[in-house]
Amino acid sequence: MASPFSSIFLIFVSIFAAFSTSRSSTIGVGYISRLLEIQDRERAPAYVQVAAARGVLHRLLPSHLSSFDFQIVSKDKCGGESCFVIRNHRAFRKPGDPEILIAGVTGVEILAGLHWYLKNWCGAHISWDKTGGSQLFSVPKAGLLPRIQTDEIVIQRPVPLNYYQNAVTSSYSFAWWDWKRWEKEIDWMALQGINMPLAFTGQEAIWRKVFHKFNISNSDLDDFFGGPAFLAWSRMGNLHKWGGPLPQSWFDQQLILQKKVTGRMFELGMTPVLPAFSGNIPAAFKHIYPSAKITRLGNWFSVHSDPRWCCTYLLDATDPLFVEIGKAFIEQQQKEYGRTSHIYNCDTFDENTPPVDEVEYISSLGAAIFGGMQAGDSNAVWLMQGWMFSYDPFWRPPQMKALLHSVPLGRLVVLDLYAEVKPVWISSEQFYGTPYIWCMLHNFAGNVEMYGILDSIASGPIEARSSPYSTMVGVGMSMEGIEQNPVVYDLMSEMAFQHNKVDVKKWLYQYSIRRYGHLVPSIQDAWDVLYHTIYNCTDGANDKNRDVIVAFPDVDPSSILVLPEGSERHGNLDSRVDSLRLGDAMFDRPHLWYPTSEVTRALKLFIAGGDQLSGSNTYRYDLVDLTRQALAKYSNELFFRIVKAYQLYDAQTMANLSQEFLELVNDIDTLLACHEGFLLGPWLQSAKQLAQIEEEEKQYEWNARTQITMWFDNTEEEASLLRDYGNKYWSGLLGDYYGPRAAIYFKFLKESSENGYRFQLSNWRREWIKLTNDWQSSRKVYPVESNGDALDTSHCLYYKYLQRLESFDQ
């Protein structure tokens, strides 16, 4: 039976399939050919990969388990590259027989092929549960699946590697995951074609065993490891002990979990990236090894350089002890996991600048770091985040070349971490001949913000790969936090198999049909607006969400520059006023890059399509998110109007607008409660569920609450320098924290206005910090299930604030 979706996609797929069998590898792929050959040789047996792939199918679409047959094929079938093949099954005669055969070089390619078929022939959509989950009701019943209209469809990867994660995603998103959640994520990775994810879970248990060999005690390590929500930064040497110490149950639990995670990744044919030694060591080393070359690093965002958690110790890579520890760590991982993928992540210089810029010294550092890996694994390949090349002025061409050329060609792969905004491959002559992966960073700290650069995603990887003498070897997603902006990740995942630039307008037309399972004209029009506004950010700014509600300004209101009416509404702020240093505080203006009236119009169109899509969970998520986005930008405008009234001594207007702001915060909190993707409760509950005893539960919950509020240390009158970096638009957080915080500020604003004295900044800080610290230690339980009708709530809030929203551009 032909599906209506099959005719829509048939022409595109046929043309694409004909092209996709052509070889398109770069010279960079040739440099890593040895690694690829070793991985092919050591990959799990075909029957193991097929069984693992069928397990994913069973969890995704159990009603169609008999409809699909999976096979592993050699690269010869794919012209020497990795690919998947889709064709009609010859054995199909009646319902219950296999209908579609999907073959692939690995289990990942098989599942990417399954996703490709479900997407392009059945109009299905696969997303994270928190962002609406999968839309599979458009898939015809077993026995009635759409047939392939050609002999076969062959889709080849243009480059072999598809990377996933950031070094801090493990804390911003994965911190509290159990095996059930990890299994879901690995399924999602495979369906997106991801074959090279980071595998960082449980490494503290490995480190403890390794450091014991160097006479470091458990009490020494209690001072070294961060708490569960801050492990990413203690691993990188940014901090120590903050949120800790780790209980024994954590070490045991996480190591067991990591073995399951890496085991499943290997079963599917993935290449999990394991950690390597970067030089980060416990303080006790300086006493036990007094002659070792050990440097104490400077302060990393701690208030007053508090030695309890700042200023960690780094072992110089040229010290003989460095190779010993590096070797021991890799060997211990091999012993625990039973195997390795030979690729290791190490970021010694991520936010840690070398002490001197002499190229000979930098070259010796790079060679020594790699030597530590190679001593434990003769086939080791170093995977390095290239983040420092995009922001740290230390890395000028000579220094960059010295580091990149310190490792044999093909044994170092760099992540061009922020390529969709600040591509380093262009300015560095393709990393001076070093293989690299084109990555999309997109998100900071798991902030909730509708944002993206779809045109850059749809063209950037193609331009990099097709450029002269390209050393590109893969694509990747390197976001700090996941489960947001599903459209961005759907498109970026597809780029792992795209050989040509994607026409985003046409792609979005099909995306909205797949995501909701229906063609709704007003929804199509809304997505066209969103494409040209929210998802067309070209100002080059880092999109760290600084909306006033979630990142309230800690400044004297008299010092805030209130811009002319309309300048903030149109998204045309002068970059010189994006950040203002006011006294001892930094005020980051909220990021706005589009006309708010256009997004308000898109919201109106979205609401209009609600009657046809009210049963769609994906629609509910997008509706809540878009309503939140529109109201959040309005709240920024409202705040500046409050400040303007204060500066003009208009106490009545200031009071009225302040009350309206607080009411708006509560309204948004109610809105967010309408979808489970915007709840505080699951984050806290998942943290507590990992605890074995009450003390652990308190510690884990404090970690979870602190990361999304104050983040790091504070005094009674000085807030953390990282406050609100991990902010979230979550129901419960707005009602019980962000709203009360704003109310405190407005209270002091009112007192200042009525009594004629300056704003009491220190008193505001003292009261706000106390609120924060009390909230971090609170044990209040929050809902883990949604409550309320998303369409009705969005509709009511739209009309409640309609005149204000539409007045933005009048």
Side-chain angles (χ1 to χ4, degrees):
M1 175 181 178
S3 162
F5 289 98
S6 61
S7 59
I8 293 174
F9 294 105
L10 179 58
I11 296 175
F12 159 75
V13 172
S14 299
I15 295 173
F16 182 83
F19 175 81
S20 68
T21 54
S22 63
R23 297 185 67 114
S24 56
S25 292
T26 65
I27 60 172
V29 174
Y31 296 155
I32 64 166
S33 59
R34 183 173 179 272
L35 170 66
L36 299 176
E37 290 168 3
I38 293 171
Q39 290 174 343
D40 288 344
R41 187 167 62 246
E42 297 183 356
R43 201 162 272 127
Y47 73 90
V48 172
Q49 296 185 63
V50 168
R54 293 200 66 79
V56 176
L57 173 60
H58 178 71
R59 289 184 289 276
L60 177 71
L61 206 59
S63 58
H64 289 66
L65 197 57
S66 65
S67 298
F68 295 94
D69 189 15
F70 294 160
Q71 289 181 7
I72 296 290
V73 295
S74 71
K75 285 186 176 179
D76 292 339
K77 173 67 179 175
C78 308
E81 307 293 339
S82 292
C83 79
F84 59 79
V85 182
I86 307 173
R87 61 172 176 258
N88 299 323
H89 205 291
R90 295 185 178 90
F92 177 65
R93 297 290 183 275
K94 62 184 186 306
D97 291 342
E99 302 172 68
I100 301 295
L101 172 67
I102 301 177
V105 171
T106 71
V108 171
E109 269 76 30
I110 288 175
L111 290 167
L114 172 66
H115 187 191
W116 194 271
Y117 174 81
L118 293 174
K119 174 188 289 189
N120 293 317
W121 274 266
C122 303
H125 171 74
I126 295 172
S127 180
W128 292 297
D129 285 353
K130 282 188 68 174
T131 59
S134 299
Q135 184 288 106
L136 298 171
F137 63 80
S138 64
V139 179
K141 293 180 180 180
L144 300 174
L145 290 179
R147 308 294 282 169
I148 303 300
Q149 301 303 309
T150 58
D151 289 341
E152 62 181 26
I153 302 295
V154 180
I155 306 294
Q156 183 192 83
R157 289 186 186 272
V159 280
L161 303 181
N162 190 355
Y163 171 79
Y164 184 58
Q165 295 178 45
N166 183 296
V168 301
T169 320
S170 57
S171 289
Y172 282 129
S173 293
F174 309 159
W176 313 114
W177 283 7
D178 57 12
W179 170 240
K180 181 179 179 181
R181 180 61 186 87
W182 259 113
E183 184 174 53
K184 255 186 191 301
E185 190 71 9
I186 297 171
D187 289 355
W188 180 90
M189 291 182 205
L191 289 160
Q192 308 301 328
I194 293 163
N195 59 15
M196 201 172 79
L198 289 185
F200 274 18
T201 302
Q203 62 178 279
E204 283 66 33
I206 306 290
W207 277 121
R208 191 160 71 157
K209 293 178 181 181
V210 170
F211 284 139
H212 283 170
K213 297 175 183 178
F214 293 88
N215 301 313
I216 303 298
S217 68
N218 284 346
S219 61
D220 295 328
L221 294 172
D222 284 346
D223 182 67
F224 179 64
F225 297 129
F230 302 97
L231 286 173
W233 299 277
S234 68
R235 291 166 182 168
M236 292 188 291
N238 302 137
L239 54 80
H240 65 99
K241 198 178 182 178
W242 179 250
L246 297 174
Q248 180 62 44
S249 62
W250 180 269
F251 291 102
D252 298 339
Q253 180 187 78
Q254 294 295 299
L255 183 57
I256 291 170
L257 181 59
Q258 169 73 342
K259 290 179 179 179
K260 290 182 178 179
V261 168
T262 55
R264 179 60 57 79
M265 289 176 175
F266 282 129
E267 287 172 4
L268 285 165
M270 292 181 180
T271 301
V273 179
L274 298 175
F277 181 50
S278 65
N280 182 31
I281 54 173
F285 261 89
K286 70 181 188 296
H287 304 299
I288 299 173
Y289 300 93
S291 62
K293 298 177 185 177
I294 297 174
T295 301
R296 190 169 194 188
L297 300 176
N299 183 33
W300 187 83
F301 295 110
S302 169
V303 174
H304 300 313
S305 301
D306 195 319
R308 288 177 294 173
W309 18 80
C310 98
C311 311
T312 57
Y313 291 87
L314 185 71
L315 178 65
D316 193 296
T318 61
D319 191 288
L321 198 57
F322 191 101
V323 172
E324 288 185 50
I325 298 173
K327 177 183 179 183
F329 182 55
I330 285 181
E331 289 179 341
Q332 189 66 39
Q333 290 186 93
Q334 292 174 339
K335 179 180 177 181
E336 295 287 345
Y337 309 144
R339 61 167 298 181
T340 178
S341 60
H342 307 295
I343 188 157
Y344 305 93
N345 172 251
C346 177
D347 295 307
T348 300
F349 311 112
D350 188 9
E351 303 195 26
N352 290 320
T353 303
V356 296
D357 64 358
E358 296 174 359
V359 293
E360 294 81 6
Y361 174 71
I362 293 172
S363 182
S364 66
L365 285 180
I369 292 168
F370 178 68
M373 300 178 203
Q374 195 172 33
D377 180 355
S378 60
N379 294 315
V381 172
W382 179 2
L383 181 72
M384 176 198 300
Q385 287 194 153
W387 176 239
M388 70 277 197
F389 300 138
S390 66
Y391 81 92
D392 190 342
F394 172 91
W395 295 102
R396 302 180 299 280
Q399 288 71 27
M400 192 173 172
K401 288 179 184 178
L403 178 61
L404 296 177
H405 294 169
S406 66
V407 179
L409 186 61
R411 306 298 287 274
L412 172 65
V413 177
V414 182
L415 300 175
D416 197 352
L417 209 70
Y418 202 10
E420 85 277 23
V421 175
K422 299 177 180 177
V424 178
W425 69 268
I426 297 174
S427 60
S428 65
E429 301 170 17
Q430 309 225 8
F431 292 91
Y432 303 110
T434 302
Y436 74 95
I437 295 174
W438 194 102
C439 292
M440 176 195 76
L441 177 55
H442 181 255
N443 178 269
F444 292 90
N447 294 162
V448 179
E449 169 91 295
M450 291 183 74
Y451 158 83
I453 317 174
L454 296 184
D455 283 338
S456 176
I457 295 168
S459 62
I462 310 302
E463 292 170 354
R465 179 178 51 78
S466 59
S467 63
Y469 309 107
S470 175
T471 54
M472 177 178 163
V473 296
V475 296
M477 296 184 284
S478 54
M479 64 283 118
E480 289 191 352
I482 63 168
E483 298 174 322
Q484 35 74 31
N485 287 286
V487 64
V488 172
Y489 295 88
D490 195 298
L491 177 59
M492 187 62 224
S493 295
E494 198 169 295
M495 297 311 295
F497 298 97
Q498 291 284 8
H499 291 244
N500 291 319
K501 294 180 181 180
V502 172
D503 184 324
V504 178
K505 185 178 177 66
K506 292 180 180 178
W507 184 90
L508 274 174
Y509 180 86
Q510 301 300 345
Y511 171 83
S512 63
I513 299 174
R514 291 188 289 104
R515 180 148 172 85
Y516 312 121
H518 295 286
L519 171 58
V520 181
S522 68
I523 298 294
Q524 297 284 11
D525 292 341
W527 270 107
D528 187 59
V529 173
L530 296 179
Y531 166 42
H532 291 98
T533 54
I534 283 176
Y535 293 112
N536 185 37
C537 180
T538 57
D539 62 11
N542 297 344
D543 191 58
K544 300 173 183 177
N545 194 330
R546 307 312 292 174
D547 286 340
V548 171
I549 289 177
V550 296
F552 207 87
D554 176 29
V555 292
D556 185 328
S558 300
S559 304
I560 294 178
L561 174 64
V562 179
L563 300 176
E565 288 290 327
S567 58
E568 302 203 46
R569 302 165 188 171
H570 291 268
N572 59 357
L573 284 178
D574 190 315
S575 61
R576 292 172 295 177
V577 298
D578 283 353
S579 294
L580 301 175
R581 181 161 294 283
L582 306 173
D584 59 348
M586 176 67 81
F587 171 41
D588 293 325
R589 283 190 175 275
H591 186 201
L592 185 61
W593 60 98
Y594 56 83
T596 54
S597 63
E598 284 297 289
V599 172
T600 302
R601 183 165 68 88
L603 174 58
K604 188 174 184 178
L605 291 167
F606 238 84
I607 292 172
D611 290 342
Q612 298 177 66
L613 300 176
S614 58
S616 166
N617 195 29
T618 48
Y619 169 76
R620 285 197 306 117
Y621 175 88
D622 291 347
L623 176 63
V624 170
D625 204 18
L626 182 55
T627 308
R628 175 209 57 75
Q629 181 81 8
L631 293 176
K633 299 310 175 187
Y634 173 65
S635 74
N636 297 333
E637 171 73 10
L638 190 56
F639 174 78
F640 289 115
R641 289 167 59 195
I642 293 169
V643 171
K644 182 177 181 179
Y646 171 82
Q647 294 175 354
L648 294 175
Y649 305 102
D650 186 349
Q652 187 59 54
T653 298
M654 184 189 73
N656 292 340
L657 295 176
S658 297
Q659 185 58 42
E660 182 181 332
F661 186 97
L662 297 177
E663 185 177 346
L664 176 60
V665 173
N666 285 328
D667 281 341
I668 298 176
D669 191 84
T670 300
L671 168 73
L672 297 173
C674 295
H675 195 280
E676 51 275 12
F678 300 99
L679 302 181
L680 169 65
W683 172 253
L684 300 182
Q685 183 63 22
S686 61
K688 292 186 288 185
Q689 284 179 343
L690 294 184
Q692 303 294 310
I693 59 176
E694 186 176 357
E695 284 306 307
E696 291 177 10
E697 187 174 300
K698 290 179 181 178
Q699 179 190 7
Y700 294 177
E701 184 172 3
W702 183 91
N703 268 254
R705 287 170 175 261
T706 298
Q707 189 203 87
I708 59 177
T709 52
M710 197 62 82
W711 207 107
F712 210 6
D713 67 335
N714 60 266
T715 67
E716 289 186 357
E717 293 187 13
E718 293 176 273
S720 164
L721 300 175
L722 291 172
R723 61 187 179 275
D724 294 324
Y725 184 82
N727 67 68
K728 303 289 188 292
Y729 274 103
W730 284 346
S731 178
L733 190 57
L734 274 74
D736 282 3
Y737 178 65
Y738 293 143
R741 176 174 64 178
I744 294 171
Y745 191 87
F746 295 149
K747 180 187 75 171
F748 286 106
L749 208 61
K750 179 182 178 183
E751 290 178 1
S752 171
S753 179
E754 289 179 347
N755 298 315
Y757 51 65
R758 289 187 63 83
F759 183 83
Q760 301 298 297
L761 192 61
S762 61
N763 290 342
W764 136 253
R765 287 174 177 164
R766 189 180 296 110
E767 201 165 322
W768 154 47
I769 291 170
K770 184 180 184 303
L771 167 76
T772 308
N773 292 340
D774 288 346
W775 190 85
Q776 288 170 177
S777 299
S778 172
R779 304 301 307 285
K780 180 178 177 179
V781 176
Y782 292 88
V784 295
E785 295 182 357
S786 60
N787 177 43
D789 186 286
L791 182 57
D792 285 349
T793 304
S794 293
H795 187 272
C796 290
L797 293 181
Y798 175 80
Y799 282 104
K800 181 176 181 178
Y801 296 100
L802 176 62
Q803 184 176 359
R804 303 180 184 98
L805 290 170
E806 289 187 331
S807 71
F808 272 18
D809 290 300
Q810 294 177 0

